[in-house]
Amino acid sequence: MNPPKEIGHPVVEPAAHATSHAGEKQQLDPGLVKSDKRGESRIGRWAVGDVKITSIMESADRIPWAPLFPAEASELYKKYDWLVPRFITPEGQIILAVQAFVVTVGGRRIIVDTCVGNGKLREFEHCSNLQTAFLKDLTAAGFAPETIDTVLCTHLHFDHVGWNTQWVNGKWVPTFPRARYLFGRREWQHCQNLLRDKTGDIRHILDSVEPILAADLAELVESDHRLTDEIWLEPTHGHTPGHVSVHIASKGQEAVITGDVFHNPIQFAEPEICSIGCVDKEMSRKTRREFLSRYENRAARLFAVHFNDPVGWIVRDTRNWRFCTE
Ligand SMILES: [Zn+2]
């Protein structure tokens, strides 16, 4: 399927508060390390039939290849000149974006993945105690938090749940007070295992997931849950045991919000490369290959959470696949 040309061109706006939020530090736990990172403040808009999709970009960092990806694969990007400099710098650094997608149709306002959030202590320095303008940008884009009716997390890693909560009057409270928060049942079971076994860094579960359950705003859903006639989940397990993608179909056009099936477009050309965060690397590779085969040759437009240039199509290449933004 070749979508009409006009929908391939996003409207990208500089966010209204791109330079105005310095000094507006929220109240923090005294033990948190200070961060001067202000984020990206970039808003993009697209349409898929009747469905509108808005990207709110929280950050886009240049980070070292390893440990996000295995050090032994650090030279592979040189084989693919289409990756540089939009997705990988000439020096081999990964450009890692973090963004949320707001999906609207028929009066529904759904936010998919909620980035890292502000004032949260994390194990990676570039993600710890952020002070970005994300919430102001979201509001400036027309989506004040109280107008969001659904929060959907593709999985429950810290960079997909952060704005689920914000720090108000000394505690983490739901940022979207009128929303139902949808978490995958399998994913929540996996989190419960991590909590029980105290495996890895579980702070994001404590500060960004559990307060939602405590507020009775959470709903555990199956991996093929349907949100509207146009929007449903599809299982893409592997990165985490309950990871899902979000399928959108309207008026003959299709799109998929990919969550963490991919962290960088190099994984189109080299699908075997797994990120450090992949829980089941073999399943992650299998899922990625199946996904690329299923949607190759423009069968659906992709919206990729971690791509600096987030929207494009999968096209067949001489070796595996390529990410094509036009
Ligand atoms: Zn992620």
Side-chain angles (χ1 to χ4, degrees), residues 137-191:
D137 295 344
L138 182 68
T139 303
F143 306 107
E146 61 274 15
T147 70
I148 297 290
D149 62 66
T150 306
V151 179
L152 170 66
C153 299
T154 59
H155 62 299
L156 298 177
H157 275 167
F158 74 91
D159 53 327
H160 299 257
V161 301
W163 277 108
N164 283 2
T165 60
Q166 58 181 333
W167 185 255
V168 178
N169 294 331
K171 59 180 180 177
W172 296 110
V173 301
T175 306
F176 306 100
R178 296 184 182 154
R180 300 298 294 169
Y181 286 65
L182 309 186
F183 303 141
R185 187 181 305 281
R186 279 175 74 118
E187 190 71 1
W188 176 238
Q189 282 166 357
H190 169 62
C191 282

Side-chain angles (χ1 to χ4, degrees), residues 6 26 45 54 56 65 67 76 87 130 140 145 154 165 172 178 182 201 238 270 275 277 311:
E6 65 269 21
Q26 74 182 81
R45 299 181 195 270
T54 303
I56 312 293
W65 176 273
L76 289 176
F87 302 108
L130 301 190
T154 59
T165 60
W172 296 110
R178 296 184 182 154
L182 309 186
D201 189 343
E270 302 281 348
S275 77
V311 181

Side-chain angles (χ1 to χ4, degrees), residues 155 157 159-160 239 259-260 263 305-306:
H155 62 299
H157 275 167
D159 53 327
H160 299 257
H239 178 66
D260 277 5
H263 284 77
V305 172
H306 290 307

Side-chain angles (χ1 to χ4, degrees), residues 254-272:
E254 288 192 66
V256 185
I257 298 174
T258 57
D260 277 5
V261 177
F262 309 96
H263 284 77
N264 185 278
I266 193 171
Q267 292 169 295
F268 288 50
E270 302 281 348
E272 309 306 309

Side-chain angles (χ1 to χ4, degrees), residues 23 49 52 61-63 78 85 95 107 118 128 167-168 178 185 196 236 249-250 252 258 260 304 322 325:
K52 304 280 191 293
D61 292 327
R62 276 72 179 154
I63 64 167
K78 294 178 179 172
I95 304 173
N118 274 5
S128 194
W167 185 255
V168 178
R178 296 184 182 154
R185 187 181 305 281
R196 184 195 61 214
T236 42
S250 175
T258 57
D260 277 5
R322 184 162 49 90
T325 53

Side-chain angles (χ1 to χ4, degrees), residues 39-312:
E40 191 70 11
S41 281
R42 202 184 333 147
I43 296 167
R45 299 181 195 270
W46 297 264
V48 178
D50 290 334
V51 180
K52 304 280 191 293
I53 304 177
T54 303
S55 156
I56 312 293
M57 187 74 79
E58 183 185 56
S59 63
D61 292 327
R62 276 72 179 154
I63 64 167
W65 176 273
L68 175 66
F69 291 140
E72 60 268 25
S74 66
E75 301 290 309
L76 289 176
Y77 78 94
K78 294 178 179 172
K79 293 198 286 184
Y80 311 104
D81 55 6
W82 56 272
L83 288 167
V84 181
R86 275 197 303 166
F87 302 108
I88 298 178
T89 70
E91 298 76 31
Q93 287 195 306
I94 297 291
I95 304 173
L96 186 71
V98 180
Q99 63 200 297
F101 293 112
V102 182
V103 183
T104 62
V105 65
R108 295 290 302 272
R109 294 178 148 226
I110 301 159
I111 186 166
V112 179
D113 288 343
T114 60
C115 306
V116 174
N118 274 5
K120 296 186 167 176
L121 188 59
R122 300 293 181 244
E123 61 182 313
F124 302 106
E125 192 182 339
H126 67 279
C127 300
S128 194
N129 189 18
L130 301 190
Q131 300 299 329
T132 75
F134 178 87
L135 220 49
K136 285 190 170 183
D137 295 344
L138 182 68
T139 303
F143 306 107
E146 61 274 15
T147 70
I148 297 290
D149 62 66
T150 306
V151 179
L152 170 66
C153 299
T154 59
H155 62 299
L156 298 177
H157 275 167
F158 74 91
D159 53 327
H160 299 257
V161 301
W163 277 108
N164 283 2
T165 60
Q166 58 181 333
W167 185 255
V168 178
N169 294 331
K171 59 180 180 177
W172 296 110
V173 301
T175 306
F176 306 100
R178 296 184 182 154
R180 300 298 294 169
Y181 286 65
L182 309 186
F183 303 141
R185 187 181 305 281
R186 279 175 74 118
E187 190 71 1
W188 176 238
Q189 282 166 357
H190 169 62
C191 282
Q192 284 182 301
N193 294 342
L194 298 179
L195 289 168
R196 184 195 61 214
D197 301 339
K198 295 189 169 51
T199 309
D201 189 343
I202 55 172
R203 285 173 287 190
H204 63 289
I205 304 173
L206 304 179
D207 63 35
S208 305
V209 180
E210 287 203 326
I212 304 304
L213 283 104
D216 207 19
L217 296 180
E219 210 168 295
L220 299 181
V221 298
E222 304 307 324
S223 298
D224 59 354
H225 179 75
R226 182 176 282 272
L227 286 82
T228 74
D229 287 345
E230 301 87 356
I231 304 166
W232 63 91
L233 306 183
E234 58 180 40
T236 42
H237 305 330
H239 178 66
T240 59
H243 185 283
V244 294
S245 298
V246 184
H247 197 112
I248 296 162
S250 175
K251 294 197 165 161
Q253 298 175 13
E254 288 192 66
V256 185
I257 298 174
T258 57
D260 277 5
V261 177
F262 309 96
H263 284 77
N264 185 278
I266 193 171
Q267 292 169 295
F268 288 50
E270 302 281 348
E272 309 306 309
I273 296 178
C274 284
S275 77
I276 187 175
C278 284
V279 174
D280 183 335
K281 289 189 169 45
E282 266 321 300
M283 193 189 296
S284 168
R285 291 184 183 108
K286 184 167 178 286
T287 294
R288 195 156 38 250
R289 280 197 169 276
E290 285 175 0
F291 189 98
L292 289 160
S293 297
R294 185 157 70 248
Y295 293 117
E296 67 179 15
N297 295 332
R298 298 175 180 253
R301 196 154 22 140
L302 265 52
F303 288 73
V305 172
H306 290 307
F307 292 6
N308 191 40
D309 199 350
V311 181

